[in-house]
């Protein structure tokens, strides 16, 4: 037994070096992309914003069917018609992911009408853009129900069949605010941090599940209606991401089976700084960059 443990201990650093080298090689060589031609993709919050761009990107890359969930029928219908014009079969269902019973009911309807979902994209989210003391209790609950608990319900609805088929992918459109919170969006930051923990645990839990994987995307501020009015101090130095860029990189991450994706790559520096700098220094970075006051001009969706 002792020799067994000693062998494992000696092998471990070799494995770590191999995996690091393998990852470095993958950064240089073009990776093999997963074929999407047999995949049925469901995008929550798919009627507008990043969700609409995700639907376009999956369709452009050859997904078999696109299914959109959302709360606003007008937006869902417009996106559905656009995807159909691209030559891809598309359906929409009105569904509030924060409502557990509605999620399970619509998941059953999707399976009966469209078939099994093999790629689930949890994209739906809301933000109220207020401090804790200025926030309405119901608004705070709404953020947690949609941004966090909604992922529990959608994943529970579709993951069992993915495990049976040994084919599936759970995708989470998160935010870099899950790793570095800002004032004025306490509901959003909290829900995204919870969502990140959910995906970390789920990703590890799927390690022994062949054919089923997970991807978490953590983008920087993206120029969509949801964060309309948000201002940072140096927009030329830290420009907001374009939603089509986030969508493209997300689908690429799914096709290459990348577990975690930070956008842009400079956000890795933020993670390192948070690990080594004292709190006082981090506070000065927030003030200098303008993230300390960026939500003061927040308007959100009109």
């Amino acid at each position: 037994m002792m020799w067994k443990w000693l062998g494992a201990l000696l092998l471990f650093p070799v494995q770590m070096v191999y995996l690091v080298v393998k990852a470095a090689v993958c950064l240089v060589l073009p990776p093999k992309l997963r074929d999407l031609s047999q995949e049925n993709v469901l995008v929550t919050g798919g009627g507008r914003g990043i969700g609409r761009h995700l639907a376009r990107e999956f369709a452009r890359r050859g997904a078999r069917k696109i299914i959109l969930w959302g709360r606003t029928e007008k937006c869902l219908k417009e996106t559905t018609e656009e995807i159909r014009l691209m030559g891809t079969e598309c359906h929409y269902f009105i569904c509030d992911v924060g409502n557990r019973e509605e999620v399970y009911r619509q998941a059953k309807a999707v399976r009966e009408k469209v078939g099994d979902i093999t790629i689930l994209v949890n994209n739906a989210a809301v933000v109220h853009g207020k401090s804790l003391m200025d926030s309405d209790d119901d608004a705070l609950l709404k953020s947690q129900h949609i941004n966090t608990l909604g992922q529990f319900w959608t994943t529970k609805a579709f993951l069992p069949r993915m495990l049976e088929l040994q084919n599936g992918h759970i995708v989470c459109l998160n935010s870099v605010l899950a790793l570095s919170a800002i004032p004025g969006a306490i509901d959003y930051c909290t829900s995204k941090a919870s969502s990140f923990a959910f995906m970390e645990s789920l990703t590890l839990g799927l390690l022994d599940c062949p054919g089923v994987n997970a991807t978490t995307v953590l983008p920087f501020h993206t120029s969509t209606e949801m964060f309309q009015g948000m201002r940072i101090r140096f927009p030329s130095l830290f420009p907001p991401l374009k939603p089509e860029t986030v969508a493209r990189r997300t689908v690429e991450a799914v096709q290459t089976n990348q577990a975690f994706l930070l956008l842009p790559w400079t956000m890795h520096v933020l993670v390192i700084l948070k690990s080594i700098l004292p709190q006082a220094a981090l506070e000065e970075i927030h003030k200098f960059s303008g993230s300390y006051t960026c939500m003061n001009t927040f308007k959100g969706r009109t």
Side-chain angles (χ1 to χ4, degrees):
M1 180 64 72
M2 183 183 71
W3 290 109
K4 181 180 179 181
W5 283 106
L6 182 60
L9 185 63
L10 294 173
L11 183 61
F12 180 74
V14 176
Q15 289 177 315
M16 292 300 101
V17 171
Y18 166 74
L19 292 173
V20 170
V21 171
K22 181 181 178 182
V25 171
C26 289
L27 288 175
V28 178
L29 299 178
K32 181 180 179 181
L33 299 180
R34 172 183 178 177
D35 179 25
L36 300 177
S37 61
Q38 299 302 313
E39 309 297 343
N40 295 338
V41 183
L42 188 150
V43 183
T44 68
R48 55 187 173 184
I50 295 176
R52 176 176 287 187
H53 287 279
L54 282 166
R56 290 173 182 163
E57 190 66 23
F58 273 109
R60 190 179 69 81
R61 291 176 181 252
R64 182 167 173 245
K65 299 178 184 179
I66 305 291
I67 299 90
L68 307 175
W69 276 12
R71 296 179 296 161
T72 308
E73 185 171 16
K74 179 178 180 292
C75 297
L76 290 170
K77 190 174 182 180
E78 289 174 355
T79 305
T80 298
E81 290 174 353
E82 181 181 343
I83 299 303
R84 287 173 178 171
L85 287 174
M86 295 174 66
T88 301
E89 183 178 339
C90 187
H91 306 267
Y92 75 86
F93 297 78
I94 298 174
C95 184
D96 178 0
V97 297
N99 185 319
R100 180 182 57 187
E101 290 77 15
E102 190 172 333
V103 167
Y104 293 159
R105 183 171 62 251
Q106 293 292 48
K108 181 180 179 181
V110 168
R111 282 190 291 268
E112 292 174 350
K113 181 178 179 179
V114 184
D116 292 316
I117 297 301
T118 53
I119 299 178
L120 169 65
V121 185
N122 284 313
N123 166 73
V126 295
V127 58
H128 297 289
K130 295 182 180 180
S131 67
L132 176 62
M133 301 312 298
D134 291 333
S135 297
D136 177 76
D137 288 356
D138 290 336
L140 291 174
L141 283 171
K142 182 179 179 181
S143 296
Q144 309 314 308
H145 281 298
I146 293 176
N147 299 3
T148 304
L149 289 176
Q151 293 189 66
F152 281 74
W153 314 144
T154 58
T155 304
K156 285 194 69 178
F158 294 108
L159 181 59
R161 183 58 177 160
M162 292 181 184
L163 295 173
E164 287 180 17
L165 296 172
Q166 293 190 355
N167 177 34
H169 209 112
I170 307 294
V171 186
C172 170
L173 260 294
N174 204 291
S175 168
V176 73
L177 296 182
L179 306 177
S180 182
I182 58 173
I186 194 166
D187 61 317
Y188 186 80
C189 296
T190 302
S191 64
K192 288 300 183 180
S194 299
S195 170
F196 181 67
F198 170 82
M199 287 302 294
E200 274 198 308
S201 180
L202 180 68
T203 301
L204 291 172
L206 292 174
L207 289 178
D208 294 325
C209 301
V212 183
N213 301 288
T215 293
T216 304
V217 182
L218 300 108
F220 179 61
H221 169 45
T222 307
S223 55
T224 62
E225 288 182 349
M226 192 166 78
F227 274 95
Q228 185 177 352
M230 181 180 175
R231 295 287 182 269
I232 57 175
R233 188 176 181 185
F234 303 109
S236 57
L237 186 61
F238 302 106
L241 294 168
K242 295 179 180 180
E244 53 267 36
T245 299
V246 175
R248 176 176 56 81
R249 294 294 305 278
T250 297
V251 179
E252 287 175 356
V254 171
Q255 289 187 284
T256 57
N257 195 26
Q258 184 174 349
F260 295 96
L261 173 64
L262 277 163
L263 294 174
W265 68 269
T266 50
M267 292 300 104
H268 288 276
V269 178
L270 176 64
V271 175
I272 295 172
L273 291 178
K274 284 205 68 174
S275 302
I276 61 177
L277 291 181
Q279 180 62 26
L282 293 172
E283 291 169 359
E284 289 303 317
I285 290 175
H286 277 292
K287 292 177 181 178
F288 178 77
S289 65
S291 61
Y292 185 73
T293 56
C294 66
M295 293 297 287
N296 290 356
T297 54
F298 172 80
K299 296 178 181 178
R301 290 194 181 112
T302 55

